[in-house]
Amino acid sequence: MTPLPSSPAEELALLERELIWLDTRRVQLLRRRSWLKAALRAQSAGGWQPPHGGQPPQGAPGGWAHAPAAHPAPAVPTGSATGGPGAQHVLLILGGLLLAVAAIAFTLFSWGELGIAGRSVVLAGVTAGALGAPVLLLRRGLGATAESVGAVALLLTVLDAYALHAAVLPEADGAGYAAFASGVLAAGWAAYGVGVGRLRLPLPAAVVAGQFPLVLGAWAAGGSVLVIGWALLVTAAGSVVVAARVPGLAVRATAWSGAGVTWAGGLLIGLGESVSASGPLDAAAPGVLLLGAAAVALAAAWRAPQEMAVTGGVVAGLAAVAGVGGVLRTEVPWSWAVVVYLVCGAALAPVARIAVVPRPVRGGVLGAAAGVTGVAVLAVLPLAAATLLGPAAVLTGLWAGAPDGTRELAAGAGAWPDALSVPVVLLVAAVLLGAVYASLVHEGREPAGWTGAAGAGAVGLVSAAVPVLLVSADVAYAAALVVDVLLVAGLLAAAVAVRRVPAAAGGTALWCAVAVAAHAGLLALAAEPATYAVFGLLLVLFAASAARSREVVARSLTLVLSVVCALVVASAAGASLELGAPRTAVLVLVVPAAVVVLGLWVRTPAVVVPLEAGAGFAALVALGLAVTDGAYLSLVLALCGVLAAATAVRPERRPGAGYLAAGLFATATWVRLVSAGVTHPEAYTLPVSVIACAVGLLRRRTDPEASSWTAYGPGLGVTLGPSLLALWSDPHWQRPLLLGAAALAVTVTGAVRRLQAPLLLGGGTLALVALHELAPHVAQVFDALPRWSVPALAGLLLLALGATYEQRLRDARRLREHLGRMR
């Protein structure tokens, strides 16, 4: 007795051995059968003789012993196996196609040669035989053959209907006869499928044929487009009933497909007629058709699987909105049609509270309401954006005077809507999203995910709707500014002060506050008093929000915006005093100066970094204002250097701010010399360089770890920079000689004393001086060389570098390490 396997691996090995033994045994039996057949043929021919080959093969008498279990399975002899089911299906399909081709050929070419009696006999005989053959075949167990013959029989019935019309009823209307024939075929195929039972094709074919009678009948009767639409809907309803009640996967799939196609056709007809209707009476009939389409879709979704139920709920809701909205929108101007459809979509929301409706269907209907809301918002979004950006036209004429209404400012850019429909759509959508948020929170949902998205969407839509409403309603200028500032205050409070607001809604409120503040600022630039009032209030609001905020992003953004508002106020002060742009730049530097002082007092990185970013932006604005006047530009650069040096007092800012201060001081000196028309700057810069380098030497003696850039960089740069600038416009030889000698001395000193700043500054200056002296000669050489020599030399240089790439790379690393060890 074979012991039971103790593990899956042992059981698998046992099964493999058994299968190998069975294959081997089958081959033995096949060989035994062949040997016995040969023996019988020899016996009938004249006495039994052993067949050619000698002894009987293994499996003959004396060879019935079992083969070893471990013996490998020999190959099956070629031709010993018969064709599988795949070959049988191919043969049956080919046979059915040949019969169908023969039937078609007979109908088209040989039908007219027969008389009425012959035709009747052929029709009755062939059709009856084709329809009855599957019954006999099924009794004999030939199911695949019966299916093929049944398919041919169905095709023959179609050909019979065509032949009957062509020969017996040629005067009959084509559409009407087709409607009658399709109905008869649908009923006949259904009865045939139910009667035979085991054939799979007749019932789906009956469903397909059943899609045509009503539609073709309506067409034949000369019905209107709406009548055809109703015929399509009734057909779809019948298909839904079949799909819900008739068993069989093939029948149901065919019925669902037919219902979808006919339902879509009826819906499209209703939509087209509803959109083109010019009055409520004209839109009523298409509206009823669309409501019928909604009812059919809802009935289909009620019994459908979950995924199809959701889809059915969506299309049912959309069809209902289109039907009711199509009637109501004819009573309002076209610009308000979006509002009508939006309100109709909102009316679908109470479906969520009807418990008798299946949950997937409710979800689909709510999805339809959400889709209508989203489409409505997208439809008005371009007008809303244009309205919000309309006051940007003020930038072309600052302080032109306070207008009577806000529409005048937006109309300058042609960006205000003709009606109040845009803000109404935004407000209605905001109310809907707010209701969804409140409902979800009431159900115990966490204020995140879709719940947070609903709250954020409501905040964003309200923030956009209020400024658009101010412009659309042409509110008074002062009132619009007050409303905008109050809205900014409310949004900032929601973003940084109310803890129960979800993160998504709080972040949305913050950015919406920025957008509304920009809108209010653009409006305020139309009048001088409004500029000071609005930007002063915005400065206070952003500063207060930064003080109360606990989020890094919110605090940083509000700090930067507070600096920007202060920058606008300072610039406006310069314009009010008529100082001009260069002198206003000096006044603007008050803002970064105040920020630097505040940074020295606060010392909190989360606060100081955004403040310094705003101060840097203000400094760039000051430089841009002073760029047209060299003297004021030099002054602004020097003041910026002072601010950078003050920032360098803090240890964590000392390296970067110190280098920046030195560079700004040097640049201020160069700009001042250029603006004064000095042709020999060394007379002014050399004493400063000597004093600065002496101070650096004392610094290095007291602090050997001090960097050479801090000690000698500013002093060397004060002289080397202006001298290089003067060099390129100096035609004489004295300056290049003296500057080159000085640069060589600085370079050698840096190399000997292992100082990085003198080495790099001196070497760079020396290289530029050499380039200046060699440039004319190099140009002459290039003019004398043929044009092909330049790319040839470049190619040789690249080849040389490529061949010694590893060595050059090691040299560069060695040089970098050597420079890194210098001070």
Side-chain angles (χ1 to χ4, degrees):
M1 182 177 181
T2 304
L4 294 175
S6 59
S7 66
E10 293 182 0
E11 184 177 358
L12 179 61
L14 178 61
L15 290 177
E16 293 288 345
R17 288 196 297 270
E18 292 293 334
L19 290 173
I20 293 173
W21 182 88
L22 289 175
D23 290 339
T24 305
R25 186 59 180 164
R26 182 175 182 274
V27 172
Q28 292 174 353
L29 293 176
L30 289 172
R31 291 178 180 176
R32 174 63 177 170
R33 186 181 65 173
S34 300
W35 187 86
L36 290 174
K37 286 182 178 180
L40 290 175
R41 286 195 299 270
Q43 184 177 7
S44 61
W48 181 84
Q49 293 291 335
H52 182 72
Q55 296 298 324
Q58 186 177 4
W64 289 96
H66 292 288
H71 192 278
V76 178
T78 304
S80 62
T82 60
Q88 179 187 13
H89 292 165
V90 171
L91 293 175
L92 292 173
I93 292 172
L94 290 176
L97 290 176
L98 290 176
L99 287 175
V101 171
I104 294 172
F106 172 79
T107 303
L108 294 178
F109 302 109
S110 301
W111 181 259
E113 299 176 1
L114 300 175
I116 297 298
R119 296 172 184 176
S120 302
V121 171
V122 170
L123 279 174
V126 174
T127 304
L131 292 174
V135 179
L136 299 176
L137 292 172
L138 288 174
R139 290 177 181 177
R140 294 179 175 272
L142 302 176
T145 307
E147 291 287 350
S148 299
V149 176
V152 174
L154 298 182
L155 178 61
L156 286 175
T157 56
V158 177
L159 296 176
D160 291 344
Y162 168 75
L164 183 62
H165 177 266
V168 181
L169 302 171
E171 296 83 7
D173 179 63
Y177 179 80
F180 173 76
S182 58
V184 172
L185 289 175
W189 289 349
Y192 180 68
V194 173
V196 176
R198 293 173 57 187
L199 290 180
R200 291 174 292 181
L201 187 60
L203 289 179
V207 173
V208 173
Q211 309 300 313
F212 301 101
L214 289 179
V215 180
L216 293 177
W219 184 17
S224 63
V225 176
L226 290 176
V227 173
I228 295 176
W230 277 110
L232 288 169
L233 283 185
V234 173
T235 303
S239 299
V240 169
V241 172
V242 172
R245 297 187 176 275
V246 177
L249 179 61
V251 177
R252 290 187 173 185
T254 307
W256 281 122
S257 301
V261 173
T262 52
W263 183 89
L267 178 70
L268 291 177
I269 290 175
L271 287 175
E273 294 296 314
S274 177
V275 172
S276 60
S278 57
L281 294 179
D282 294 337
V288 175
L289 178 61
L290 291 171
L291 290 177
V296 172
L298 191 62
W302 208 280
R303 298 289 299 275
Q306 181 174 357
E307 294 78 7
M308 295 182 63
V310 174
T311 305
V314 170
V315 297
L318 293 177
V321 169
V324 178
V327 177
L328 298 179
R329 63 95 186 161
T330 58
E331 294 294 327
V332 298
W334 183 253
S335 59
W336 285 86
V338 179
V339 180
V340 170
Y341 285 109
L342 177 59
V343 173
C344 293
L348 298 175
V351 176
R353 299 296 181 183
I354 303 177
V356 70
V357 180
R359 187 179 183 87
V361 179
R362 282 183 285 166
V365 174
L366 291 179
V372 172
T373 304
V375 171
V377 172
L378 290 177
V380 302
L381 199 58
L383 282 175
T387 305
L388 291 173
L389 296 176
V394 176
L395 297 176
T396 59
L398 297 175
W399 292 358
D404 295 332
T406 54
R407 180 178 290 184
E408 182 179 342
L409 296 177
W416 57 275
D418 296 331
L420 295 173
S421 59
V422 175
V424 170
V425 169
L426 296 177
L427 288 174
V428 171
V431 171
L432 292 177
L433 287 178
V436 171
Y437 172 77
S439 176
L440 293 176
V441 172
H442 181 71
E443 292 177 1
R445 301 281 187 90
E446 291 293 331
W450 289 109
T451 306
V459 172
L461 290 174
V462 170
S463 304
V466 172
V468 174
L469 180 61
L470 296 176
V471 177
S472 302
D474 198 17
V475 177
Y477 179 69
L481 291 178
V482 172
V483 173
D484 272 348
V485 173
L486 291 176
L487 180 59
V488 172
L491 291 172
L492 289 176
V496 301
V498 182
R499 296 183 178 181
R500 297 188 61 184
V501 172
T508 304
L510 176 63
W511 290 105
C512 288
V514 175
V516 177
H519 183 265
L522 290 174
L523 290 177
L525 292 177
E528 182 177 358
T531 301
Y532 288 107
V534 170
F535 281 97
L537 290 174
L538 292 178
L539 170 61
V540 174
L541 290 176
F542 285 127
S545 300
R548 299 190 61 181
S549 176
R550 297 295 179 266
E551 296 291 334
V552 176
V553 175
R555 184 191 300 116
S556 302
L557 183 60
T558 50
L559 283 173
V560 171
L561 291 175
S562 61
V563 174
V564 171
C565 291
L567 177 63
V568 174
V569 173
S571 301
S576 299
L577 297 175
E578 298 181 355
L579 299 178
R583 287 184 287 182
T584 301
V586 180
L587 183 60
V588 167
L589 287 179
V590 174
V591 176
V595 171
V596 169
V597 173
L598 184 61
L600 294 175
W601 175 56
V602 176
R603 296 291 186 94
T604 302
V607 176
V608 171
V609 172
L611 283 176
E612 289 179 346
F617 176 73
L620 291 177
V621 172
L623 292 174
L625 292 173
V627 74
T628 58
D629 192 312
Y632 277 98
L633 179 59
S634 174
L635 176 61
V636 170
L637 286 169
L639 292 176
C640 290
V642 172
L643 295 178
T647 305
V649 172
R650 305 205 320 268
E652 69 275 8
R653 292 288 185 267
R654 185 165 298 161
Y659 294 146
L660 179 61
L664 288 172
F665 284 135
T667 305
T669 303
W670 302 343
V671 171
R672 182 58 183 167
L673 293 175
V674 172
S675 64
V678 175
T679 58
H680 299 285
E682 292 83 2
Y684 299 91
T685 61
L686 192 57
V688 177
S689 295
V690 171
I691 296 173
C693 290
V695 173
L697 180 61
L698 294 176
R699 168 74 185 278
R700 290 273 297 173
R701 287 184 177 179
T702 57
D703 184 12
E705 297 297 325
S707 172
S708 61
W709 289 99
T710 304
Y712 305 115
L716 295 175
V718 167
T719 297
L720 294 179
S723 297
L724 278 175
L725 293 176
L727 175 68
W728 293 96
S729 59
D730 190 352
H732 303 93
W733 58 271
Q734 291 86 355
R735 177 176 277 112
L737 177 61
L738 294 175
L739 182 58
L744 178 61
V746 172
T747 304
V748 172
T749 302
V752 172
R753 302 296 299 272
R754 302 178 61 82
L755 299 175
Q756 192 179 100
L759 177 62
L760 295 181
L761 291 176
T765 304
L766 186 60
L768 292 175
V769 171
L771 178 62
H772 174 268
E773 295 302 309
L774 293 177
H777 306 288
V778 173
Q780 293 178 3
V781 171
F782 275 104
D783 289 338
L785 290 176
R787 294 185 176 181
W788 56 265
S789 61
V790 177
L793 292 173
L796 291 175
L797 177 61
L798 291 176
L799 288 175
L801 290 176
T804 59
Y805 174 75
E806 295 295 336
Q807 181 62 37
R808 301 287 79 80
L809 190 61
R810 286 193 294 269
D811 293 343
R813 289 172 179 167
R814 193 177 300 112
L815 177 61
R816 185 182 63 183
E817 294 173 357
H818 182 69
L819 289 175
R821 289 192 294 268
M822 290 183 177
R823 297 300 301 171

